[in-house]
Amino acid sequence: MNERLVTLRPRYGEVDSMGVVYHPHYLVYFEVGRTEWMRAAGCAYADLERRGVRLAVVDAAVRYLQPARYDEELRLVTRVTQIGGASVTFSYELRGPAGLLATGHTRLGCLDSDNRPARLPPDARDRLGRGIRPGPLPSESP
Amino acid sequence: MNERLVTLRPRYGEVDSMGVVYHPHYLVYFEVGRTEWMRAAGCAYADLERRGVRLAVVDAAVRYLQPARYDEELRLVTRVTQIGGASVTFSYELRGPAGLLATGHTRLGCLDSDNRPARLPPDARDRLGRGIRPGPLPSESP
Amino acid sequence: MNERLVTLRPRYGEVDSMGVVYHPHYLVYFEVGRTEWMRAAGCAYADLERRGVRLAVVDAAVRYLQPARYDEELRLVTRVTQIGGASVTFSYELRGPAGLLATGHTRLGCLDSDNRPARLPPDARDRLGRGIRPGPLPSESP
Amino acid sequence: MNERLVTLRPRYGEVDSMGVVYHPHYLVYFEVGRTEWMRAAGCAYADLERRGVRLAVVDAAVRYLQPARYDEELRLVTRVTQIGGASVTFSYELRGPAGLLATGHTRLGCLDSDNRPARLPPDARDRLGRGIRPGPLPSESP
């Protein structure tokens, strides 16, 4: 379990007046992919929060290659590509009928319930870290 | 102090592929108007929350008369039109270069910090209630 | 075919600092329900737009009964409750683990590709109008 | 005219359940800064679009240093840091009461009205390019 596919359809309000998905929404889609990745890994984010563990985005990057359009079925692949004692990096590839639409990554830092930096709990680190895929981040390899 | 005017410009991502503001964003604009109304009345919402008092929207309605467009300067008038022991109703009129664009209202119920229904604190009720404007809600008088 | 169920999970960014779904997002969820209703009725909105037919929200109302929470599975039931020559009304019931969370309706007016009011095309009116459910709108019957 | 300051207050719905601004909204704020930068430079984006010229985000990156909070007054500084024949890069620094909150940049590619890559019109390139600030992008210099 390292790669996780979710499908999603851009909603009407996610599309801007150019007829394509408004660029900040890609980060929202990435969060949907990350949420489902974590649920499938037995490490649901809602459960982490209930234990007082938070993951805050500290770095985000997106490369926009082709536009995503309203109501088209998109496929989003999410992977964990780096893990440290207190942070984890997810990488993303978004594809549509016309091929690769965007790549990106987000690095998340672990916080405690007072929003102070903290170590990842060992069980979470273990589940997040299984099967790291070596090689460059997708966003660095067009 | 009962009526409060704010100006705002629709942001790019608030406009949908018809080239007009996506309809749920009107409720976001109404919240901007309500926030500034409350700040001007000496009853800023952020202060209420710090005191453990919350206002949750329990009813919302919008009539869309003409479209609002990207980057046009809009004028939003907010008023308090009803107040009870545990709720307050704000009404809104949104105008653009072409005249009246939308009317609406939101009723907010008071909650305590455990999200249970609660009475409005007397000072908040007093400040919210000053100068209720009689007559029908704007959304009921096309 | 008159009633259509979709399931959805509130996304992290749809939840506000009270820990519950921010109220304008209910209108976004209603649009998701309406979109799937229309797709299932053989009258997909994306197809209508390609034919130069638009449906713009002219009236919207929501009653918020209980909060919706992050990542909980919600069930949204959408129905067509009224249809005229140039408009159609959809009604919605949103349910979560704790029961009924919200009801609402949106009335949509038909526009041509120049955003002028227009009649619904006969085939669309026919498909939208099949099996109107009589009785009061859900939002009027607590 | 190269640097442009705008102030903004995070709206209630822009804050997530950690009580801080949800990370994709920083890209929305950056767009607000960019829009005002362009308006002040005599090159308003709405005017460009009316001339059939579009600017689409092709690369975006954000570093999140400290959280931004509801209703706090934030100061956003926008600069143009690179310009080419068919693209322009804006860089951003967002500051709040606690100091620097985030840095980032977005690169925008020029498109014609059919969404094909195009050269920047000479007058737009001229106005965008005045006073490029040399040195590293803010997002690369923590």
Side-chain angles (χ1 to χ4, degrees):
Chain A
M1 156 63 220
N2 180 262
E3 191 167 300
R4 176 88 185 152
L5 172 71
V6 298
T7 59
L8 39 82
R9 284 182 189 274
R11 298 171 177 177
Y12 200 81
E14 293 169 353
V15 170
D16 66 23
S17 65
M18 287 193 208
V20 302
V21 173
Y22 183 51
H23 67 280
H25 287 295
Y26 289 68
L27 292 180
V28 178
Y29 296 169
F30 290 174
E31 174 137 28
V32 171
R34 187 162 75 238
T35 301
E36 296 308 322
W37 192 102
M38 292 180 70
R39 194 193 315 284
C43 181
Y45 185 66
D47 293 337
L48 280 186
E49 273 210 348
R50 273 188 282 272
R51 290 167 56 188
V53 176
R54 293 169 168 188
L55 295 176
V57 175
V58 291
D59 250 310
V62 190
R63 295 192 63 215
Y64 301 88
L65 305 170
Q66 293 186 83
R69 298 186 184 282
Y70 168 59
D71 205 42
E72 276 184 352
E73 192 168 283
L74 307 184
R75 300 185 313 287
L76 173 65
V77 173
T78 303
R79 299 184 185 96
V80 172
T81 46
Q82 284 188 329
I83 190 160
S87 75
V88 55
T89 300
F90 289 86
S91 298
Y92 312 91
E93 291 177 9
L94 185 69
R95 293 175 187 280
L100 187 62
L101 305 185
T103 61
H105 70 265
T106 52
R107 190 163 61 91
L108 292 96
C110 189
L111 302 176
D112 65 19
S113 53
D114 295 319
N115 287 328
R116 286 174 309 208
R119 310 281 300 169
L120 284 164
D123 63 325
R125 189 184 194 292
D126 191 52
R127 286 170 189 228
L128 291 168
R130 247 175 241 158
I132 295 286
R133 184 190 163 100
L137 299 188
S139 63
E140 294 167 357
S141 57
Chain B
M1 155 64 217
N2 180 262
E3 191 168 300
R4 176 91 185 149
L5 172 72
V6 298
T7 58
L8 39 83
R9 284 183 188 275
R11 299 172 177 177
Y12 201 80
E14 294 169 353
V15 170
D16 67 23
S17 64
M18 286 194 210
V20 302
V21 173
Y22 183 52
H23 67 280
H25 287 295
Y26 288 68
L27 291 180
V28 178
Y29 296 169
F30 291 174
E31 173 137 28
V32 171
R34 187 161 76 237
T35 301
E36 296 308 323
W37 193 102
M38 291 179 71
R39 193 192 317 284
C43 181
Y45 186 67
D47 293 336
L48 280 186
E49 272 211 347
R50 272 189 282 273
R51 291 166 56 187
V53 176
R54 294 167 168 190
L55 294 176
V57 175
V58 292
D59 250 311
V62 190
R63 295 193 63 216
Y64 301 88
L65 305 170
Q66 294 186 83
R69 299 186 184 282
Y70 168 60
D71 205 43
E72 276 184 353
E73 193 168 281
L74 307 184
R75 299 184 314 287
L76 173 65
V77 173
T78 303
R79 298 185 186 95
V80 171
T81 45
Q82 283 187 329
I83 190 159
S87 75
V88 54
T89 300
F90 290 86
S91 298
Y92 313 91
E93 291 178 10
L94 186 69
R95 292 174 188 279
L100 186 62
L101 306 185
T103 60
H105 70 266
T106 52
R107 190 162 62 88
L108 291 97
C110 188
L111 302 177
D112 66 19
S113 53
D114 294 320
N115 288 328
R116 286 174 308 207
R119 310 282 300 171
L120 284 164
D123 63 325
R125 189 185 193 291
D126 191 54
R127 287 170 188 227
L128 290 167
R130 246 174 243 158
I132 294 286
R133 185 189 161 98
L137 298 187
S139 63
E140 294 167 355
S141 56
Chain C
M1 154 66 219
N2 181 259
E3 191 168 302
R4 177 86 185 154
L5 173 72
V6 297
T7 58
L8 39 81
R9 286 182 186 274
R11 298 171 177 177
Y12 200 81
E14 293 168 355
V15 169
D16 66 22
S17 65
M18 288 195 207
V20 302
V21 173
Y22 183 52
H23 66 280
H25 287 294
Y26 288 68
L27 291 179
V28 178
Y29 296 169
F30 291 173
E31 173 136 29
V32 171
R34 186 162 75 239
T35 301
E36 296 308 322
W37 192 101
M38 292 180 69
R39 194 194 315 285
C43 181
Y45 186 66
D47 292 337
L48 281 185
E49 273 210 346
R50 273 189 283 272
R51 290 167 56 187
V53 177
R54 293 170 168 187
L55 295 176
V57 175
V58 291
D59 250 312
V62 190
R63 295 192 62 217
Y64 300 89
L65 305 170
Q66 293 186 83
R69 299 185 184 283
Y70 167 59
D71 204 42
E72 276 185 352
E73 192 168 283
L74 306 184
R75 300 184 312 287
L76 173 64
V77 173
T78 303
R79 298 184 186 95
V80 171
T81 46
Q82 284 187 330
I83 191 158
S87 74
V88 55
T89 300
F90 289 87
S91 298
Y92 313 90
E93 292 176 10
L94 185 69
R95 292 174 188 278
L100 187 61
L101 306 185
T103 60
H105 71 266
T106 52
R107 189 162 62 91
L108 292 96
C110 189
L111 303 176
D112 66 19
S113 54
D114 294 321
N115 287 328
R116 286 174 309 207
R119 310 283 300 170
L120 284 164
D123 63 325
R125 188 185 194 291
D126 191 52
R127 287 170 188 229
L128 290 167
R130 247 173 242 158
I132 294 287
R133 185 190 162 99
L137 298 187
S139 64
E140 294 167 357
S141 57
Chain D
M1 154 65 218
N2 181 261
E3 191 168 301
R4 176 87 185 152
L5 172 72
V6 297
T7 58
L8 40 82
R9 286 181 187 275
R11 298 171 177 178
Y12 201 80
E14 293 169 353
V15 169
D16 66 22
S17 65
M18 287 195 209
V20 301
V21 173
Y22 184 52
H23 67 279
H25 288 295
Y26 288 69
L27 291 179
V28 178
Y29 296 169
F30 292 173
E31 174 136 28
V32 172
R34 187 162 74 238
T35 301
E36 296 307 323
W37 192 101
M38 293 179 70
R39 192 193 317 284
C43 181
Y45 185 67
D47 293 336
L48 281 185
E49 273 210 346
R50 272 188 283 271
R51 290 167 55 188
V53 177
R54 293 169 168 189
L55 295 176
V57 176
V58 292
D59 250 312
V62 190
R63 295 192 63 216
Y64 301 88
L65 305 170
Q66 293 186 84
R69 299 185 184 283
Y70 167 60
D71 204 41
E72 276 184 354
E73 193 168 281
L74 306 185
R75 301 184 312 287
L76 174 65
V77 173
T78 303
R79 300 183 185 95
V80 171
T81 46
Q82 284 187 330
I83 191 158
S87 74
V88 54
T89 300
F90 290 87
S91 298
Y92 313 91
E93 292 176 9
L94 185 69
R95 292 174 189 279
L100 187 61
L101 305 185
T103 60
H105 70 265
T106 52
R107 190 162 61 90
L108 292 96
C110 189
L111 302 177
D112 65 19
S113 54
D114 294 320
N115 287 328
R116 286 173 309 206
R119 310 284 299 171
L120 284 164
D123 63 326
R125 189 184 192 291
D126 191 52
R127 286 169 189 228
L128 290 167
R130 246 174 244 158
I132 294 287
R133 185 190 163 99
L137 299 187
S139 65
E140 293 167 357
S141 56

